[in-house]
Amino acid sequence: MMEINEEIFEGFFKKLEDDKEFPRSIIEKLRKLFESEEVISQKNILDIIKGGCEDVGED
């Protein structure tokens, strides 16, 4: 089961990295979440994306 999740997330990260407009900071935070022991939920992912968008908006 873990191999399937890892494969899905690697494909997900690859697509994000291919998008030159998508903030790298969000990708890094999402990778850290995936690599952590923390439960990955829609809320965790949404919080990271919202936080990253706020960071980008401040630039």
Side-chain angles (χ1 to χ4, degrees), residues 24-56:
R24 301 292 152 225
S25 62
I26 294 175
I27 297 170
E28 291 169 13
K29 289 176 185 175
L30 289 171
R31 277 195 179 277
K32 285 180 185 175
L33 175 64
F34 176 68
E35 293 167 357
S36 75
E37 295 297 317
E38 191 174 342
V39 174
I40 300 173
S41 68
Q42 289 178 339
K43 182 182 179 334
N44 292 21
I45 294 170
L46 183 59
D47 289 345
I48 289 172
I49 293 171
K50 281 183 176 178
C53 290
E54 289 171 3
D55 291 344
V56 169

Side-chain angles (χ1 to χ4, degrees), residues 1-2 5 11 17-18 36-37 39 42 49 51 57-59:
M1 180 72 169
M2 186 60 175
N5 285 340
E17 289 167 350
D18 288 347
S36 75
E37 295 297 317
V39 174
Q42 289 178 339
I49 293 171
E58 292 175 2
D59 289 343

